[in-house]
Amino acid sequence: MSGREVDLQAANRRTIRRLLWVVAGMFGFVFALVPLYDVFCDITGLNGKTADGPAEAVMVEPDLSRTVTVEFVASVNENMPWDFRPTRVRMQVHPGKMYRTSFVARNRTGQTMVGQAIPSVTPGLAATHFRKTECFCFTEQKFEPGEERDMPLLFMVDPALPEEIEEVTLAYTFFDKNKLLN
Amino acid sequence: MSTETTHDDHHGPARGLSRWVFTTNHKDIGTLYLLFSLLMFIVGGAMAMVIRAELFQPGLQFVEPQFFNSMTTMHALIMIFGAVMPGFVGLANWLVPMMIGAPDMALPRMNNWSFWILPFAFTMLLSTLFMDGGAPAGGWTMYPPLVMQTGNAFPFLIFSVHLMGISSIMGAINIVVTIVNMRAPGMTLMKMPLFVWTWLITAYLLIAVMPVLAGSVTMLLTDRYFGTSFFDAAGGGDPVMFQHIFWFFGHPEVYIMILPAFGIVSQIIPTFARKRLFGYSSMVYATSSIAFLSFIVWAHHMFTVGMPLTGELFFMYATMMIAVPTGVKVFNWVSTMWKGSMTFETPMLFAVGFVVMFTIGGFSGLMLAITPVDFQYHDTYFVVAHFHYVLVTGAVFSLMAAAYYWMPKWTGNMYDEKLGKLHFWLSTIFVNVLFFPQHFLGLAGMPRRIPDYSTQFTEFNQISSIGGFAFGLTQLLFVYIVYKTIKGGEKATDRVWEGAEGLEWTLSSPPPYHSFTTAPEVK
């Protein structure tokens, strides 16, 4: 083998090594995007995701001069055989004041089932200003056959909610946790 | 004695089937890629015929809605990963070593692998047509949760995408290493033919984004079978995240399918205009800019998912910015033709057709980039018309142009000019009959990916279907022309075209099995 060919082989190997690093790096980057995406959504409140756990009950001066309409939507995922509805569809609330409402769910089947409610707030920018101190969505809900239950929700709309938002929709979707485990 | 035998092996191709299975020769592998691409083009085209037949009339005529959706999904996967991408890789295999004065690709053994993975990948993908639950029908974009409803075909879909990705990454690494390390003395980067330049940039794009696709489909796989919840809202995941990750791959992928086409056209137009390419270095910079911009515009595919205003604006402006380097390229091609002594042989016809019709696709892309307007156009036939103009009259026309331009070099025989011209004119007329009415359908609100439609869309759909059948049949003429050229014909000269410039034209037609074993001197 001539010197030029040896040089070429070394150069090729060096280039391949670098390119393989890029491939490995990009493959890792996709998986790194998952937590990054969550962090990004948490910080910016994009995507209508609310906090996973209860918000601290803070005492703020209620802004009685401002009224915000809060609407509640309840639905079940795919073929989940539960009934699910809000007890009140619409509420007029003052930012900074704590309110209580509830949702009713019923397991129509003859089996014990576990469900998980996933919240979503529209408009997305309102998500970080929607403080839930108590919610059935923080934990999995186990329902006996035919059981019907009233599940409370304690919430407050933050006075820091941008001025232009007059209506906030909170939507819950119940997912079948059993199906996920199977 | 044994060394003598080995020595002989190096001089000519082996005989029979094993020549093709074990070959490490860039010309053989290039041929394999190109023939495979042609085969997939016919298979994917047959699926398009099913789609157009069903859409000839409103109501359900020939196929079940589920099968119809399989057809759209499989048509896209096969055309993108089976026809267009391997077509360009085949051209790169044949041409890059000959254009830069290298004896072969840098990694010949890996080259063999990257091709032979593909038949397995597509056998797996096509076998899903015969499975319980049918072939994948959730769209080639594989959005969850819909894709999760795929039946037994699901793991086959995922693993065939993995194989295609591995093949592309290996091919791309090979091309980069070849171009970076194996150029003939004197062949500086800025002297490289533009086809080599565009492929260098395309290969970098492939290396950067194919792992992203592999990662995202791996997440789909674990979501379905291993209880993870990357995209499952019930477990805290987010289906919209898939769209972000997918299009982070998907948009650069779009340019992977068009940058080599830019390179081809930049080789052909100067030849038949008998002038040097106008603005060579601006072409190189424009290609690089397009490649860079492709990484920051992905969300224009998903304007309607509910992004904040700032996001919509950013992606809108970034997308529109791509029109600037693309415009530079179009103007350079036009300037190259300006006052040239042009002749219109078949490759030139396809290249000029590319410039005109790709630009139509570019303009409808600009319309789609306008966020508020996109809310109306999203998921309508307007989008279908747009990407078929850039992919069929763009990428596929460039592949046709390349085939006619270099086929005399590859085979040593001239193709039948009369039939070539006939192929061009029939293709051009019917591709417009096929896709132009789809703009109107989209603007009138016809959604894509549906087997049935409201009756007011009937006329345009019928026109489109007639164009589709005629365009499909015309491509059989191309298959015949290729066959005829391989079989024989008027002998081609070494230079083939009067105005052709570049190292590949200094070789004989067909070139020797091993070319440039001693590097040529480039002045």
Side-chain angles (χ1 to χ4, degrees), chain A residues 27-79:
Chain A
F27 191 74
F29 175 67
V30 194
F31 289 89
L33 276 177
V34 178
L36 282 175
Y37 181 83
D38 283 345
V39 170
F40 185 77
C41 289
D42 269 358
I43 295 171
T44 56
L46 294 180
N47 230 6
K49 276 191 170 175
T50 54
D52 289 339
E56 271 176 62
V58 282
M59 293 303 288
V60 282
E61 196 59 38
D63 184 357
L64 297 176
S65 63
R66 189 175 167 201
T67 312
V68 177
T69 308
V70 178
E71 292 185 320
F72 299 99
V73 175
S75 57
V76 290
N77 185 243
E78 284 175 36
N79 305 318

Side-chain angles (χ1 to χ4, degrees), chain A residues 11-12 15 26 46-47 118 175 180, chain B residues 107 177 181 208 232-234 238 308:
Chain A
N12 283 356
T15 315
M26 288 309 286
L46 294 180
N47 230 6
I118 302 291
F175 285 84
L180 195 68
Chain B
L107 311 158
V177 176
N181 294 337
D232 186 348
D238 191 334

